[in-house]
Amino acid sequence: MNNPYIPKPVRIEEIITETEDRNLKTFKLAFLNKEDEQAFRYTPGQFAELSIAGKGEIPIGIASSPTEKGHLLFTVNKVGVVTTQLHNMSVGEVMGVRGPLGKPYPIDKLEGKNVVIVSGGFAFTTLRSTIAYMLENRERFGNITVIYGARTPGMLLYKDQLKEWQDRDDIDMHVTVDKKAEGWTGKVGFVPAVTKEVAPSADNTYVLVCGPPIMIKFTQPVLTELGFTPETIIMSLENRMKCGIGVCGRCNVGPNYVCKDGPVFTLAELNEMPKEY
Amino acid sequence: MKEMVINKGDMAGLLTELAGEMTVIAPAKKGDNLLFEPISDGSKAVLDSANTRLSPKGVLFPQCEQMMTFTTDRKQARLVAAENAGIMQDVKPLDQGQVIWGIRPCDTAGFLILDKVFNQGGAEYEDAYYLRRREKTAIVGLGCNKPLSTCFCTSFDNGGPFATNGLDVLLTEVGDKYVVTVLTDKGEALLKGKNGLSEADSASIDQAGQIKDAALKLVYSSIKADKIKGKTTMELFDDPCWDTLYETCMACGVCTYSCPTCHCFDIQDEMIDTEGVRMRNWDSCMFSLFTAHATGHNPRPTKKERFKQRFMHKFKYFQEKFDRIACVGCGRCIQLCPVNIDVRQVVKEMNR
């Protein structure tokens, strides 16, 4: 019998310190066994349990795109026991990955539509995956607009990639920081305000929103004003998890398990659910 | 369906014989408590008492169990070379069959509910630990001649004190013998050629039928939950009844601990030097750390939300997901609650 709890062994290939506070690192992981790599078929928006022997597991969104072969990327904030251990690990060490888990962004629904991405801080990870995937399959999507903000320029994730995307003419990038900063020539302002200023059309468009609760709270009315309906606003939740497969009972929001029925929900779905997240 | 009888005096011998072939798990005294325990001596089985203190869910879903073992290469913060360092190895599943003997129909219904949780379809959702034990386990039920005042096993979708759902064999106590009803091939194989069993006489079968009818009348608590399904999640969630119902709760967790359908668990790594095990332990939605994020944020911050979660899960969320209520009416939580919270009262409020 298959045992979904057993993590597949991976080796840390590269560790990138993303932010100036050194609290966010991206881990590039490669499977030790070819068959595990082939079996790990994912779609942007899904997550995996990262396992460190002796410390435990953590659910982390997959930041790489399935179009990027040969490795997985996970951007991890140092906050608890497992993430702290992970931040102390070195290239070459072996750990585990269990997944892919959860319901992805509805890529099939996004096809043929314009896509707006609104994100803040380190919630950008699975959206990085989504953007990379869409750019690799560019002809399948309409206009792509990205609004991404961080407190300071040094707190932005994936800085090289952002530059690369800003240089392309098939994606409309709006990268912003909360306050003026030395050397920063881009936008200044909070994500909701920038969203209002950019004012993407809601016509034939889906918007993916992922960020801190405060950002979401103030962005939602802006999107509504722009004409986005609850069915076209797509969000991603996080809750404490253990099993990742809808059994252990702690991540549920109403009848839905964030791990199995989510983490991706439309605002229409969230409106029918208690605010236990 | 095959009916046999066995004299009470021959039961211990039968169980001892069975214990030579497989693990026999039956109600037995452990200290002051009656619990489902593995027995090798059939005379240790207690079949004439009320239900066990804890449900037998631990037979298939143990309170603590090893999930996998591993070695790490971190020894006192130094890296040392170790083969397979950091790679998880699955534990060995049961190699011997087992039988749960003398389980009450309510607890059997508990397993039918756990079956739904631990096997949600598709290999990626099959809980190997539970299911590997499940397929090696035969279930022999014991009907309840005298249900207690806390029993409500005829409510919801449960079949009452002689329900046969999920059983391989049903025992009915009739005077100085048991009528043994074989319900499945597994049950047939289990009892084939065992000493002490003989074909049932029609008088015993008739008597068993009368006992069953009489027992049904003794379950006088009947709880209606018919209106819950028609209410939306948010209607029930925002119902003012929660503002007071939770107040006496001490969040001790005994209801979840003793419940045959509560299945929340935690996964923890334990280590001695460089050798480790990943463990699965029962957990409880009554505890504040259960949902606490590493950031300190807690989506169910107070006792009220946690109390509500337990009942909403059993009577609303579970019904939405699996089309049945996750309560079997065993009454343990009513008996054991230190502040007399009665699930029947809570459901009555939810069903208004």
Side-chain angles (χ1 to χ4, degrees):
Chain A
M1 187 183 283
N2 173 60
N3 185 343
Y5 292 103
I6 308 285
K8 305 290 191 258
V10 291
R11 194 179 302 283
I12 303 176
E13 292 221 310
E14 196 185 342
I15 302 173
I16 305 147
T17 303
E18 294 283 353
T19 53
E20 61 190 0
D21 68 354
R22 306 181 64 80
N23 251 347
L24 281 141
K25 288 183 179 176
T26 295
F27 295 84
K28 187 174 179 179
L29 308 176
F31 286 100
L32 295 193
N33 305 314
K34 202 80 199 153
E35 61 271 22
D36 291 342
E37 184 185 327
Q38 278 158 359
F40 195 98
R41 299 164 67 92
Y42 66 102
T43 306
Q46 289 190 287
F47 69 98
E49 288 278 355
L50 303 186
S51 157
I52 298 174
K55 294 294 174 186
E57 293 185 311
I58 35 159
I60 302 286
I62 307 169
S64 51
S65 155
T67 51
E68 300 166 308
K69 303 281 182 207
H71 65 265
L72 298 172
L73 294 177
F74 294 92
T75 303
V76 180
N77 187 25
K78 186 169 92 175
V79 56
V81 174
V82 183
T83 54
T84 301
Q85 176 69 28
L86 186 54
H87 270 242
N88 289 336
M89 286 171 76
S90 324
V91 169
E93 283 194 76
V94 171
M95 50 183 281
V97 168
R98 186 155 74 76
L101 302 168
K103 207 175 70 182
Y105 287 119
I107 298 291
D108 50 335
K109 273 199 200 163
L110 304 185
E111 283 192 35
K113 300 280 199 294
N114 304 319
V115 180
V116 177
I117 283 175
V118 182
S119 181
F122 52 83
F124 194 50
T125 60
T126 56
L127 294 172
R128 180 212 173 273
S129 169
T130 312
I131 295 167
Y133 179 89
M134 289 194 295
L135 291 178
E136 201 58 40
N137 298 280
R138 190 64 192 87
E139 71 291 349
R140 284 159 51 192
F141 303 91
N143 298 332
I144 302 174
T145 308
V146 176
I147 299 158
Y148 172 45
R151 272 176 284 149
T152 63
M155 290 303 289
L156 290 164
L157 300 179
Y158 319 124
K159 293 178 195 68
D160 295 343
Q161 194 120 46
L162 291 178
K163 257 194 216 98
E164 206 179 291
W165 292 341
Q166 278 168 320
D167 289 343
R168 292 176 69 135
D169 55 11
D170 57 354
I171 176 168
D172 189 16
M173 295 289 297
H174 303 273
V175 180
T176 179
V177 295
D178 289 358
K179 282 185 293 203
K180 274 186 198 153
E182 212 174 305
W184 177 253
T185 54
K187 274 190 194 315
V188 175
F190 294 118
V191 167
V194 174
T195 308
K196 199 168 184 172
E197 181 195 319
V198 173
S201 161
D203 195 32
N204 203 32
T205 306
Y206 277 96
V207 57
L208 313 187
V209 188
C210 199
I214 190 79
M215 182 206 92
I216 290 172
K217 187 178 164 189
F218 288 104
T219 304
Q220 223 168 278
V222 174
L223 293 172
T224 307
E225 205 175 300
L226 289 167
F228 286 94
T229 60
E231 288 74 22
T232 59
I233 301 177
I234 298 165
M235 301 167 103
S236 184
L237 301 187
E238 54 178 17
N239 251 355
R240 185 172 191 172
M241 292 175 191
K242 289 284 177 173
C243 73
I245 55 174
V247 185
C248 83
R250 56 171 55 54
C251 74
N252 73 297
V253 178
N256 298 310
Y257 281 81
V258 174
C259 67
K260 184 170 184 264
D261 307 304
V264 173
F265 295 98
T266 64
L267 180 58
E269 288 168 325
L270 291 178
N271 285 343
E272 308 286 311
M273 288 155 61
K275 301 281 172 280
E276 291 194 330
Y277 45 86
Chain B
M1 197 171 82
K2 194 168 141 193
E3 306 266 20
M4 295 189 286
V5 286
I6 184 169
N7 286 324
K8 281 186 174 172
D10 294 333
M11 185 62 98
L14 173 79
L15 289 176
T16 307
E17 189 185 350
L18 264 179
E21 299 166 15
M22 60 177 68
T23 309
V24 175
I25 296 157
K29 275 278 180 197
K30 195 178 182 190
D32 288 341
N33 295 323
L34 191 66
L35 297 168
F36 276 89
E37 291 286 321
I39 55 167
S40 49
D41 172 2
S43 67
K44 297 277 188 247
V46 180
L47 300 174
D48 58 356
S49 180
N51 210 350
T52 51
R53 186 94 161 160
L54 298 180
S55 89
K57 72 178 169 190
V59 176
L60 300 183
F61 171 49
Q63 188 181 354
C64 299
E65 69 176 307
Q66 292 194 2
M67 303 177 85
M68 45 202 108
T69 57
F70 57 85
T71 302
T72 76
D73 53 4
R74 284 178 182 274
K75 194 173 187 179
Q76 293 158 358
R78 282 179 298 120
L79 290 181
V80 295
E83 206 181 337
N84 281 334
I87 298 178
M88 296 286 164
Q89 313 289 339
D90 198 353
V91 294
K92 262 219 206 111
L94 285 183
D95 47 11
Q96 203 184 14
Q98 59 183 11
V99 59
I100 306 175
W101 194 278
I103 185 175
R104 302 293 185 175
C106 55
D107 288 337
T108 313
F111 283 132
L112 297 178
I113 286 168
L114 295 184
D115 285 349
K116 290 179 188 285
V117 175
F118 287 115
N119 188 3
Q120 295 185 32
E124 70 268 41
Y125 297 115
E126 286 175 358
D127 189 290
Y129 303 98
Y130 178 89
L131 294 173
R132 288 189 300 215
R133 282 195 194 89
R134 184 71 163 110
E135 68 180 16
K136 291 236 176 211
T137 306
I139 300 185
V140 177
L142 173 62
C144 289
N145 294 14
K146 288 182 202 145
L148 304 176
S149 63
T150 48
C151 292
F152 54 106
C153 58
T154 52
S155 301
F156 320 136
D157 311 313
N158 303 303
F162 282 84
T164 54
N165 291 345
L167 292 178
D168 296 306
V169 175
L170 174 71
L171 307 176
T172 306
E173 186 187 356
V174 178
D176 58 356
K177 36 185 182 227
Y178 292 100
V179 170
V180 180
T181 311
V182 180
L183 298 156
T184 65
D185 293 345
K186 208 174 187 175
E188 173 96 45
L190 182 79
L191 297 179
K192 199 171 178 195
K194 291 289 173 295
N195 287 319
L197 290 165
S198 58
E199 206 167 308
D201 51 295
S202 60
S204 299
I205 294 173
D206 287 351
Q207 240 180 313
Q210 287 161 16
I211 286 171
K212 182 181 161 182
D213 293 342
L216 264 174
K217 290 189 191 107
L218 289 173
V219 185
Y220 60 79
S221 291
S222 174
I223 316 301
K224 283 202 162 54
D226 52 321
K227 289 185 196 142
I228 291 179
K229 202 172 181 176
K231 296 188 190 185
T232 66
T233 293
M234 290 317 294
E235 251 178 281
L236 269 172
F237 192 87
D238 292 333
D239 194 292
C241 74
W242 302 114
D243 294 341
T244 48
L245 280 172
Y246 78 98
E247 281 177 332
T248 52
C249 176
M250 304 197 300
C252 70
V254 74
C255 48
T256 61
Y257 183 66
S258 59
C259 178
T261 73
C262 273
H263 54 267
C264 291
F265 62 81
D266 190 14
I267 299 174
Q268 289 286 341
D269 287 6
E270 289 181 13
M271 295 201 65
I272 297 173
D273 205 3
T274 57
E275 301 303 306
V277 279
R278 182 157 287 171
M279 302 286 300
R280 155 149 99 181
N281 307 309
W282 289 355
D283 206 339
S284 170
C285 58
M286 294 288 115
F287 302 155
S288 64
L289 286 179
F290 186 63
T291 49
H293 292 198
T295 55
H297 169 67
N298 195 339
R300 293 203 274 268
T302 74
K303 202 168 65 180
K304 180 178 165 185
E305 290 85 27
R306 300 193 279 272
F307 179 93
K308 176 157 59 171
Q309 160 66 18
R310 180 159 193 273
F311 295 100
M312 285 293 279
H313 186 203
K314 291 210 182 305
F315 297 96
K316 179 62 181 171
Y317 305 155
F318 200 91
Q319 186 162 216
E320 270 179 39
K321 274 245 158 336
F322 299 109
D323 205 28
R324 72 155 292 164
I325 283 172
C327 173
V328 299
C330 74
R332 286 188 182 87
C333 56
I334 306 170
Q335 291 164 12
L336 296 175
C337 179
V339 294
N340 297 324
I341 291 170
D342 190 326
V343 56
R344 295 171 292 190
Q345 193 60 38
V346 176
V347 175
K348 204 171 147 192
E349 294 287 335
M350 291 174 77
N351 200 50
R352 250 180 230 286

